[in-house]
Amino acid sequence: MRRFFWFIVASAIVLALQAAAAGASGWEVRVPGIADSAVVLGGGIAVASGDSVSLFREGSLEWAWKAEDRVREVAAGTDGSVFAAFGSSLAKLSAEGKPLWVSDTYELAYSVHVLEDGMILVGYEYGLLAFEPVRGKLLWEHYAHEECDT
Amino acid sequence: MPGPVRSYFTLDDRRIAIIGEVYDLSGLRENGQDYVNVVDLRRGTTDEQFEVIKPFDIFDAVTLGPELMVVSVKYSGLVRWNTRDMYGFDWRVKGDPVEYLLAGGKDSILAVYFQRDRISLISPSDGRISAEARLSAPATGKPAWDGTHYYIPAEGKVMILDADLRASSEITVPGLIGEARVHLAGKGVYLVDMDSVHYLQR
């Protein structure tokens, strides 16, 4: 996993340099095995691949963060932060890629959605979880089966 | 057994529509999700569940306001729901199954059919098709709308169409392979596939 992480970092740096040389109208970076991506407030795009989250801005790797498990989902926060779902956890990363908190999602997370007021919704194995954005406190759980007679 | 929530559709500051999966049911199906719920964001409780579209096999949905949601369902077709009445619907139009729905220009909804080379504009008032087009190549992901144009990813390029679905331009994107997603950001557009991120200025 660690080797894979550094492979991503090295590949991104080399290809970003190539892209920068190609001109200002656009750029391209190669990142093997992209699982999800999200445009970040303030510019740049966060990319989940393997057990890493990488932030690219103007063709350059701004930062990379390594999780303890495969990152399945990323979402942009309302303050330039990035949320990453990995294993049975949800992490909030600062605009600089520093982990601010990690909360338990009980089981695998399949989707992450951030509302305008900052609340984070996580679609996990058995329904939906809501977290507040400052400390990652669980606000409520939603289980469709209680009302879903499908 | 209940499964994960996959998609979110904001209705207002108190309610959100979600599309989710029920494992016992989804295992029987090739595509789609299994329920549409409206969740109260204050408590996480269900406000309504859209019952009319049973048997559920939901492909996509779009919202154009707090009480205007159009859902693409395998057997029911396109169905407009007011998000309030679990057994009520405003209209239902059966036709070729729609894989992607997107709020677009001129108060219309862009529909991408499963063949992915045919698209149409749907009127939200009655579900009728107001314009249709064939794409020069099958779409490889869900389009995006920037207020004036649709951006549709395809193998090695992005197709740009105006609000009436007339081809405006195409930009070659070497290396854009397989399923792709489009992110609009300021003056640029990101195209992301399994192994690469491409940024183009608009």
mmCIF file of all heavy atoms in Angstrom, chain B residues 8-9 13 45 49 57 63 81 84 98 107 110 117 121 125 129 132 154 158 180 185 187 201:
data_model
loop_
_atom_site.group_PDB
_atom_site.id
_atom_site.type_symbol
_atom_site.label_atom_id
_atom_site.label_comp_id
_atom_site.label_asym_id
_atom_site.label_seq_id
_atom_site.Cartn_x
_atom_site.Cartn_y
_atom_site.Cartn_z
ATOM 1 N N TYR B 8 -28.563 11.676 -3.926
ATOM 2 C CA TYR B 8 -29.173 12.722 -3.112
ATOM 3 C C TYR B 8 -29.728 13.819 -4.013
ATOM 4 O O TYR B 8 -29.081 14.204 -4.986
ATOM 5 C CB TYR B 8 -28.136 13.339 -2.170
ATOM 6 C CG TYR B 8 -27.405 12.320 -1.341
ATOM 7 C CD1 TYR B 8 -26.307 11.634 -1.849
ATOM 8 C CD2 TYR B 8 -27.820 12.028 -0.046
ATOM 9 C CE1 TYR B 8 -25.631 10.691 -1.092
ATOM 10 C CE2 TYR B 8 -27.150 11.087 0.721
ATOM 11 C CZ TYR B 8 -26.052 10.419 0.188
ATOM 12 O OH TYR B 8 -25.398 9.482 0.942
ATOM 13 N N PHE B 9 -30.908 14.338 -3.661
ATOM 14 C CA PHE B 9 -31.533 15.388 -4.449
ATOM 15 C C PHE B 9 -32.125 16.410 -3.485
ATOM 16 O O PHE B 9 -33.142 16.143 -2.832
ATOM 17 C CB PHE B 9 -32.621 14.791 -5.356
ATOM 18 C CG PHE B 9 -32.109 13.679 -6.231
ATOM 19 C CD1 PHE B 9 -32.109 12.365 -5.790
ATOM 20 C CD2 PHE B 9 -31.587 13.956 -7.487
ATOM 21 C CE1 PHE B 9 -31.616 11.338 -6.580
ATOM 22 C CE2 PHE B 9 -31.087 12.946 -8.286
ATOM 23 C CZ PHE B 9 -31.097 11.630 -7.833
ATOM 24 N N ASP B 13 -34.357 23.478 2.449
ATOM 25 C CA ASP B 13 -33.392 23.421 3.549
ATOM 26 C C ASP B 13 -33.808 22.449 4.650
ATOM 27 O O ASP B 13 -33.069 22.245 5.619
ATOM 28 C CB ASP B 13 -33.128 24.812 4.116
ATOM 29 C CG ASP B 13 -34.398 25.474 4.615
ATOM 30 O OD1 ASP B 13 -35.465 24.822 4.558
ATOM 31 O OD2 ASP B 13 -34.326 26.621 5.056
ATOM 32 N N THR B 45 -35.854 11.297 9.759
ATOM 33 C CA THR B 45 -37.035 10.440 9.582
ATOM 34 C C THR B 45 -37.571 10.573 8.158
ATOM 35 O O THR B 45 -37.309 11.555 7.469
ATOM 36 C CB THR B 45 -38.142 10.835 10.570
ATOM 37 O OG1 THR B 45 -38.354 12.258 10.464
ATOM 38 C CG2 THR B 45 -37.728 10.507 11.990
ATOM 39 N N GLN B 49 -42.479 8.275 1.165
ATOM 40 C CA GLN B 49 -41.824 7.368 0.238
ATOM 41 C C GLN B 49 -42.691 7.317 -1.018
ATOM 42 O O GLN B 49 -43.917 7.238 -0.921
ATOM 43 C CB GLN B 49 -41.682 5.963 0.820
ATOM 44 C CG GLN B 49 -40.938 5.044 -0.146
ATOM 45 C CD GLN B 49 -40.642 3.673 0.466
ATOM 46 O OE1 GLN B 49 -41.311 2.705 0.189
ATOM 47 N NE2 GLN B 49 -39.629 3.632 1.290
ATOM 48 N N ASP B 57 -37.248 0.029 -9.705
ATOM 49 C CA ASP B 57 -35.962 -0.263 -10.346
ATOM 50 C C ASP B 57 -35.546 1.073 -10.943
ATOM 51 O O ASP B 57 -35.754 1.332 -12.113
ATOM 52 C CB ASP B 57 -36.071 -1.346 -11.402
ATOM 53 C CG ASP B 57 -34.719 -1.979 -11.689
ATOM 54 O OD1 ASP B 57 -33.701 -1.428 -11.223
ATOM 55 O OD2 ASP B 57 -34.674 -2.996 -12.381
ATOM 56 N N THR B 63 -34.335 16.957 -9.700
ATOM 57 C CA THR B 63 -35.277 17.863 -9.064
ATOM 58 C C THR B 63 -35.143 19.245 -9.701
ATOM 59 O O THR B 63 -34.044 19.698 -10.007
ATOM 60 C CB THR B 63 -35.015 17.981 -7.551
ATOM 61 O OG1 THR B 63 -33.625 18.265 -7.337
ATOM 62 C CG2 THR B 63 -35.367 16.699 -6.839
ATOM 63 N N TRP B 81 -43.184 13.540 -9.772
ATOM 64 C CA TRP B 81 -43.733 13.440 -8.414
ATOM 65 C C TRP B 81 -43.635 14.797 -7.729
ATOM 66 O O TRP B 81 -42.653 15.522 -7.915
ATOM 67 C CB TRP B 81 -42.928 12.396 -7.627
ATOM 68 C CG TRP B 81 -43.420 12.120 -6.246
ATOM 69 C CD1 TRP B 81 -44.710 12.074 -5.831
ATOM 70 C CD2 TRP B 81 -42.620 11.825 -5.104
ATOM 71 N NE1 TRP B 81 -44.767 11.766 -4.497
ATOM 72 C CE2 TRP B 81 -43.499 11.601 -4.023
ATOM 73 C CE3 TRP B 81 -41.252 11.720 -4.879
ATOM 74 C CZ2 TRP B 81 -43.064 11.300 -2.739
ATOM 75 C CZ3 TRP B 81 -40.817 11.405 -3.608
ATOM 76 C CH2 TRP B 81 -41.714 11.192 -2.550
ATOM 77 N N ARG B 84 -44.692 15.115 -2.136
ATOM 78 C CA ARG B 84 -45.549 15.254 -0.947
ATOM 79 C C ARG B 84 -46.523 14.090 -0.795
ATOM 80 O O ARG B 84 -46.818 13.673 0.315
ATOM 81 C CB ARG B 84 -46.361 16.559 -1.040
ATOM 82 C CG ARG B 84 -45.519 17.816 -1.100
ATOM 83 C CD ARG B 84 -44.971 18.184 0.253
ATOM 84 N NE ARG B 84 -44.263 19.468 0.198
ATOM 85 C CZ ARG B 84 -43.537 19.943 1.202
ATOM 86 N NH1 ARG B 84 -43.409 19.263 2.315
ATOM 87 N NH2 ARG B 84 -42.906 21.088 1.088
ATOM 88 N N VAL B 98 -34.503 5.577 -19.633
ATOM 89 C CA VAL B 98 -33.569 6.698 -19.543
ATOM 90 C C VAL B 98 -32.543 6.400 -18.452
ATOM 91 O O VAL B 98 -32.903 6.113 -17.314
ATOM 92 C CB VAL B 98 -34.329 8.003 -19.219
ATOM 93 C CG1 VAL B 98 -33.350 9.130 -18.923
ATOM 94 C CG2 VAL B 98 -35.249 8.373 -20.370
ATOM 95 N N ASP B 107 -35.780 25.548 -18.946
ATOM 96 C CA ASP B 107 -36.652 24.805 -18.021
ATOM 97 C C ASP B 107 -36.909 23.382 -18.487
ATOM 98 O O ASP B 107 -38.003 22.842 -18.269
ATOM 99 C CB ASP B 107 -37.981 25.550 -17.834
ATOM 100 C CG ASP B 107 -37.773 26.898 -17.172
ATOM 101 O OD1 ASP B 107 -36.912 26.974 -16.281
ATOM 102 O OD2 ASP B 107 -38.462 27.856 -17.558
ATOM 103 N N LEU B 110 -32.737 17.199 -19.533
ATOM 104 C CA LEU B 110 -32.010 16.401 -20.527
ATOM 105 C C LEU B 110 -32.112 14.930 -20.134
ATOM 106 O O LEU B 110 -31.830 14.571 -18.982
ATOM 107 C CB LEU B 110 -30.542 16.820 -20.595
ATOM 108 C CG LEU B 110 -29.690 16.006 -21.579
ATOM 109 C CD1 LEU B 110 -30.043 16.356 -23.015
ATOM 110 C CD2 LEU B 110 -28.205 16.224 -21.329
ATOM 111 N N ASP B 117 -26.394 7.081 -27.283
ATOM 112 C CA ASP B 117 -26.135 7.969 -28.423
ATOM 113 C C ASP B 117 -27.395 8.761 -28.769
ATOM 114 O O ASP B 117 -27.414 9.509 -29.735
ATOM 115 C CB ASP B 117 -25.636 7.190 -29.639
ATOM 116 C CG ASP B 117 -26.652 6.195 -30.158
ATOM 117 O OD1 ASP B 117 -27.669 5.963 -29.460
ATOM 118 O OD2 ASP B 117 -26.435 5.636 -31.246
ATOM 119 N N LEU B 121 -34.801 16.400 -24.897
ATOM 120 C CA LEU B 121 -35.218 17.368 -23.893
ATOM 121 C C LEU B 121 -36.655 17.056 -23.505
ATOM 122 O O LEU B 121 -37.514 16.896 -24.366
ATOM 123 C CB LEU B 121 -35.118 18.797 -24.433
ATOM 124 C CG LEU B 121 -33.723 19.357 -24.664
ATOM 125 C CD1 LEU B 121 -33.814 20.783 -25.204
ATOM 126 C CD2 LEU B 121 -32.902 19.337 -23.374
ATOM 127 N N SER B 125 -43.430 20.017 -17.510
ATOM 128 C CA SER B 125 -44.856 20.274 -17.275
ATOM 129 C C SER B 125 -45.737 19.103 -17.691
ATOM 130 O O SER B 125 -46.754 18.835 -17.066
ATOM 131 C CB SER B 125 -45.291 21.549 -17.999
ATOM 132 O OG SER B 125 -45.077 21.402 -19.394
ATOM 133 N N ILE B 129 -41.510 15.249 -25.198
ATOM 134 C CA ILE B 129 -40.180 15.531 -25.749
ATOM 135 C C ILE B 129 -40.265 16.789 -26.601
ATOM 136 O O ILE B 129 -41.085 16.869 -27.525
ATOM 137 C CB ILE B 129 -39.688 14.338 -26.594
ATOM 138 C CG1 ILE B 129 -39.440 13.129 -25.685
ATOM 139 C CG2 ILE B 129 -38.437 14.706 -27.369
ATOM 140 C CD1 ILE B 129 -39.090 11.852 -26.437
ATOM 141 N N GLU B 132 -34.892 16.400 -29.804
ATOM 142 C CA GLU B 132 -34.145 15.137 -29.767
ATOM 143 C C GLU B 132 -32.871 15.299 -30.579
ATOM 144 O O GLU B 132 -32.815 16.133 -31.495
ATOM 145 C CB GLU B 132 -34.964 14.003 -30.376
ATOM 146 C CG GLU B 132 -35.951 13.372 -29.415
ATOM 147 C CD GLU B 132 -36.566 12.103 -30.000
ATOM 148 O OE1 GLU B 132 -37.383 12.225 -30.932
ATOM 149 O OE2 GLU B 132 -36.218 11.016 -29.519
ATOM 150 N N ALA B 154 -17.278 11.520 -24.002
ATOM 151 C CA ALA B 154 -17.293 10.381 -24.927
ATOM 152 C C ALA B 154 -15.862 9.866 -25.022
ATOM 153 O O ALA B 154 -14.936 10.452 -24.452
ATOM 154 C CB ALA B 154 -17.821 10.789 -26.296
ATOM 155 N N VAL B 158 -14.904 15.400 -25.581
ATOM 156 C CA VAL B 158 -16.104 15.892 -24.915
ATOM 157 C C VAL B 158 -16.924 16.633 -25.970
ATOM 158 O O VAL B 158 -16.400 17.426 -26.747
ATOM 159 C CB VAL B 158 -15.771 16.795 -23.697
ATOM 160 C CG1 VAL B 158 -14.910 17.985 -24.097
ATOM 161 C CG2 VAL B 158 -17.031 17.257 -22.999
ATOM 162 N N ALA B 180 -16.609 7.978 -17.752
ATOM 163 C CA ALA B 180 -16.014 9.253 -17.355
ATOM 164 C C ALA B 180 -17.051 10.101 -16.626
ATOM 165 O O ALA B 180 -18.251 9.914 -16.790
ATOM 166 C CB ALA B 180 -15.497 9.997 -18.577
ATOM 167 N N ALA B 185 -16.142 23.721 -13.229
ATOM 168 C CA ALA B 185 -15.511 24.498 -12.159
ATOM 169 C C ALA B 185 -15.041 25.819 -12.720
ATOM 170 O O ALA B 185 -14.076 25.858 -13.480
ATOM 171 C CB ALA B 185 -14.330 23.733 -11.571
ATOM 172 N N LYS B 187 -14.063 28.604 -14.865
ATOM 173 C CA LYS B 187 -13.903 28.706 -16.312
ATOM 174 C C LYS B 187 -13.400 27.409 -16.934
ATOM 175 O O LYS B 187 -12.998 27.385 -18.100
ATOM 176 C CB LYS B 187 -12.937 29.843 -16.648
ATOM 177 C CG LYS B 187 -13.472 31.210 -16.256
ATOM 178 C CD LYS B 187 -12.458 32.287 -16.571
ATOM 179 C CE LYS B 187 -13.002 33.659 -16.161
ATOM 180 N NZ LYS B 187 -12.011 34.733 -16.365
ATOM 181 N N GLN B 201 -9.918 24.401 -20.391
ATOM 182 C CA GLN B 201 -10.506 25.721 -20.189
ATOM 183 C C GLN B 201 -11.708 25.875 -21.110
ATOM 184 O O GLN B 201 -11.684 25.425 -22.250
ATOM 185 C CB GLN B 201 -9.476 26.812 -20.465
ATOM 186 C CG GLN B 201 -8.425 26.885 -19.364
ATOM 187 C CD GLN B 201 -7.520 28.082 -19.498
ATOM 188 O OE1 GLN B 201 -7.379 28.630 -20.582
ATOM 189 N NE2 GLN B 201 -6.904 28.472 -18.401
#
